[in-house]
Amino acid sequence: MVAINNIFKNEDGFTTLSVVVSLLLTLSLIFSTAQVYRISSASADIQNVSDSAVQAAENQVAEFMILVRVSDSVILSLSLGGIVCAALGVVAMCTPVTAAASDALLEASTKMFNARDSFADKSAKSLNQMQKAIPFLASVKAFQVSQANNGGTFDANYISIAMLMPGEGITIEPGNINEAKGVLEEINANSDDIKKAAAEAEEAAKKANEAKVRAFMADCGNNPNYCMYERAKNKAYMTGPENPLYNSPDTWSFSVPLKRCQAYYPKRIQIEAPDGPSVDAKANSALRRVFYQYAVEQFSHAYVIDTGDTFQANFPHLPKNTDEMKQTSMYTNVRFPISGGNCMHAYADCPGCSGISGYGTLAQMDGMGRFVQCPYCKFSASSLGSVAAASTSISNGYEYHYKIVEEASKDYQKAKEEAEPLNRKVKNFADGIFDKIKKLISQIANKRIYAKPPGSYGAICMTVNTNSAPASKGFESSFVSSETTLGVRAAISAATVIEEESDEGKTVLNSILDGLTDELPTISGAVGIALNSWSKILEVYSNGQEAFMDGLESSLNQLPVISASGLGTWASKRLSEFMQDLGLEPANLNALKPVLINSTYVAKAEENEEPASTVGIASKTFASKFLVVKDTAISFTQANNSLLSAVSSGPELAAVLGLHDVIYSGGVIELATIEPLGNLGPSIPITIKLPEFATGTMQNIVSWIAGALQSILGNLWGGKIWR
């Protein structure tokens, strides 16, 4: 016994045998722990693979939504483009110069609406077909990702299959915008009548403008030559605000000469003085004062009312000869001194006036034979009549130029009166159409593409590692048993798509839309305006109201709407005002990103979904059964409650197998062709190239995956428990 104890115990130090045993135990523990870690890692790897596979499957949903947004943006742009072309057609009606363009723009509008309906129908049909392919693409992509992770220390062989929730998408039905056709019919029905009214208004406006220019030149436009401004400056010494100078008829108005006259005649009375000491000079001065006082009185009742659309003015008529003078109050007013009872004088201080016996009128002098002419002042009706005649008959007289203004104001008013009902007719029509167009834009919000594709709730993926490998493979040693085998391992994952606040979605869409506009040819005229309008409006989807207004203004700037009537300019401005407060908001272009989620949430969302077909029933049944089995599997471990068996059994598997029932040719799908102006413009096909993994023999991969899983389940069902 002592000898044996000495083998393991020695007071002088460790024995060789004890050291060896300790080392062996330590190495055994190290290698055992490492092997446990390796086995745990090998078991855990499948969960990571399953997570990656389900995210790859759900990413197909995110990519499909990009196509939906492209289609929706084209439909929106064609709708808005057709509306804008119709509105531009109305604007073009308002001027004779652009009347021909109006017909072309209205035709472009019709074609754009037709193109919108055609594209909407074709793209909806294509998208509905592609929705059927999403489960297939998702399953293939999940399988591809799992296969990419094959190999490693244990020669893993992963197989994944994904089930999307819901199993089918809602049918996309953008609908047609028949309301637009009604608006176009109304525009076309009134086109000829409105263009005729606009043409007549244009002629009346030209007459009015000609009259205005004449009046402007006579008032101040001829400066420094004779004109009212120049005469007032040199004869009445008027300056500053009372005698303004304008350089353009555009800034000048008829109120300018009116106010000039209202300042001129009081100033002439103030500075009036005889030209010399002679009786004639004094008599003429007195009579000029009478004339100026009469003018002051007349201009006190004068007015100008100019609203732009209507014009009313009262420019008093100043007599230019004796006959016209006799039609005024100067002829009938009691103002001239009488001496001796029968001699009337031009002024009271006349040498022939020995004493004033009363006052009389020129009418009395002409109507009564008892009056005799004063031998000094020689006063008569013609004396007063000649005062105005002198300054009215020759260009150096103020009244000469005023007479031109007076006559021009009457011509201007007449032309305005002719134009006013025509302008009102055109404006009322345009306002009514613009109002309907504005309402139409709000209605098209309900005629868009709304998509709820397969997988919009999420996806559930089952992944199986089918390779059974020795647990010690790649780590063989004497410390670890080589008889243990790693069996088939499985995992379930779920994912859904969420919005991520970033510019990625906007960037992707804009790059596609930019590619569309790059395909547009350079065309001039009304067709070019229509194409430009559509290309600009493509940006509305991502930039909203600002882009819409930029496109509208760009198109309006290409129409030469400036005219004498101003109707084109008015219509252009009015259209902008109508469209300014539409409040078009950019579409939600946040990128869709697949994220992992608890499978219960995905299944519950599908369980509450109302199925629309057998595919929907299959996915709904799968979800219901999945939830029951999962809840049970959490508490029990019996083989007949296996969670994974629910994925590959019964109608659920049949639904998965039917997902690839969409046939493609050459891996390229034509979503639809954009023909914004029919045969008048370009034809731009939108094609989608399927990923390589979705073409060729890979179309049968889903059936192979499902078959492989069924085989594995059959072989392992004998009492094995899925972990």
Side-chain angles (χ1 to χ4, degrees), residues 215-531:
F216 165 75
M217 297 302 292
D219 179 52
C220 61
N222 284 325
N223 184 68
N225 297 320
Y226 291 144
C227 60
M228 288 173 61
Y229 166 80
E230 185 275 335
R231 290 289 79 193
K233 176 182 177 182
N234 293 314
K235 294 176 74 69
Y237 312 110
M238 290 168 53
T239 59
E242 64 182 1
N243 193 32
L245 176 63
Y246 287 79
N247 297 316
S248 169
D250 295 332
T251 56
W252 177 92
S253 69
F254 278 94
S255 62
V256 174
L258 176 60
K259 293 178 180 178
R260 200 187 309 278
C261 288
Q262 289 172 337
Y264 174 78
Y265 287 107
K267 194 67 174 286
R268 286 306 302 265
I269 294 174
Q270 180 182 348
I271 65 173
E272 177 56 44
D275 296 334
S278 67
V279 174
D280 287 343
K282 293 179 180 180
N284 287 336
S285 177
L287 294 178
R288 284 196 298 270
R289 188 179 292 274
V290 171
F291 178 79
Y292 297 150
Q293 288 174 339
Y294 169 77
V296 169
E297 178 185 351
Q298 294 301 305
F299 277 104
S300 67
H301 304 296
Y303 60 85
V304 170
I305 302 175
D306 191 353
T307 65
D309 292 330
T310 60
F311 178 85
Q312 290 183 340
N314 175 25
F315 278 87
H317 179 69
L318 299 180
K320 62 181 181 294
N321 53 44
T322 301
D323 289 340
E324 290 186 0
M325 184 275 297
K326 289 181 178 181
Q327 306 301 316
T328 70
S329 61
M330 289 187 290
Y331 188 65
T332 57
N333 280 355
V334 177
R335 70 170 68 237
F336 300 104
I338 300 173
S339 64
N342 63 350
C343 186
M344 192 174 292
H345 305 275
Y347 63 106
D349 294 335
C350 175
C353 184
S354 57
I356 298 175
S357 59
Y359 291 87
T361 68
L362 282 172
Q364 290 174 332
M365 177 185 286
D366 285 348
M368 297 181 182
R370 67 183 179 86
F371 281 95
V372 297
Q373 188 177 56
C374 173
Y376 293 94
C377 65
K378 300 180 178 60
F379 178 61
S380 66
S382 61
S383 301
L384 185 55
S386 64
V387 171
S391 60
T392 304
S393 302
I394 55 178
S395 61
N396 67 350
Y398 182 88
E399 286 72 23
Y400 176 89
H401 303 284
Y402 168 75
K403 182 175 178 293
I404 296 175
V405 172
E406 177 199 351
E407 292 174 351
S409 71
K410 291 181 173 61
D411 293 340
Y412 185 80
Q413 181 167 334
K414 181 180 179 182
K416 280 289 189 178
E417 289 173 350
E418 291 175 1
E420 193 276 332
L422 299 169
N423 289 338
R424 186 171 63 250
K425 181 177 183 178
V426 173
K427 290 182 177 182
N428 287 344
F429 173 77
D431 269 344
I433 292 297
F434 292 160
D435 185 56
K436 291 181 180 180
I437 284 175
K438 183 177 180 179
K439 293 177 181 177
L440 185 60
I441 290 178
S442 64
Q443 292 171 353
I444 67 172
N446 299 322
K447 305 295 178 67
R448 304 268 295 278
I449 282 185
Y450 171 76
K452 185 181 177 183
S456 54
Y457 294 151
I460 296 177
C461 178
M462 180 182 76
T463 300
V464 175
N465 185 350
T466 63
N467 189 36
S468 297
S472 60
K473 184 175 182 179
F475 197 65
E476 295 86 354
S477 72
S478 301
F479 298 97
V480 178
S481 174
S482 59
E483 297 178 358
T484 304
T485 300
L486 292 179
V488 175
R489 299 170 299 282
I492 286 181
S493 299
T496 189
V497 288
I498 62 171
E499 291 184 1
E500 183 179 42
E501 292 188 7
S502 71
D503 292 333
E504 180 182 351
K506 185 175 181 179
T507 300
V508 171
L509 182 63
N510 284 345
S511 65
I512 295 173
L513 300 183
D514 289 343
L516 293 180
T517 57
D518 290 341
E519 297 293 329
L520 295 179
T522 301
I523 301 176
S524 59
V527 175
I529 294 174
L531 284 176

Side-chain angles (χ1 to χ4, degrees), residues 127-246:
L127 290 172
N128 285 327
Q129 289 179 333
M130 292 182 70
Q131 284 192 119
K132 298 177 182 178
I134 293 177
F136 162 68
L137 296 175
S139 293
V140 173
K141 190 62 179 177
F143 172 76
Q144 186 187 45
V145 169
S146 65
Q147 289 286 289
N149 286 276
N150 285 346
T153 303
F154 295 102
D155 291 329
N157 183 32
Y158 294 113
I159 297 177
S160 293
I161 191 166
M163 185 74 174
L164 297 187
M165 305 289 174
E168 64 176 345
I170 63 169
T171 301
I172 296 173
E173 297 176 345
N176 296 330
I177 47 176
N178 296 320
E179 302 89 345
K181 296 178 181 178
V183 174
L184 274 175
E185 288 174 359
E186 181 178 352
I187 295 173
N188 286 315
N190 292 276
S191 176
D192 291 340
D193 193 30
I194 295 302
K195 284 190 283 190
K196 180 182 177 182
E200 292 175 353
E202 181 70 10
E203 289 302 314
K206 288 180 179 179
K207 293 178 182 177
N209 286 349
E210 290 171 359
K212 184 178 181 181
V213 170
R214 286 203 318 273
F216 165 75
M217 297 302 292
D219 179 52
C220 61
N222 284 325
N223 184 68
N225 297 320
Y226 291 144
C227 60
M228 288 173 61
Y229 166 80
E230 185 275 335
R231 290 289 79 193
K233 176 182 177 182
N234 293 314
K235 294 176 74 69
Y237 312 110
M238 290 168 53
T239 59
E242 64 182 1
N243 193 32
L245 176 63
Y246 287 79

Side-chain angles (χ1 to χ4, degrees), residues 704-719:
W704 183 88
I705 298 169
L709 289 178
Q710 286 178 315
S711 175
I712 295 168
L713 289 172
N715 292 334
L716 297 178
W717 200 246

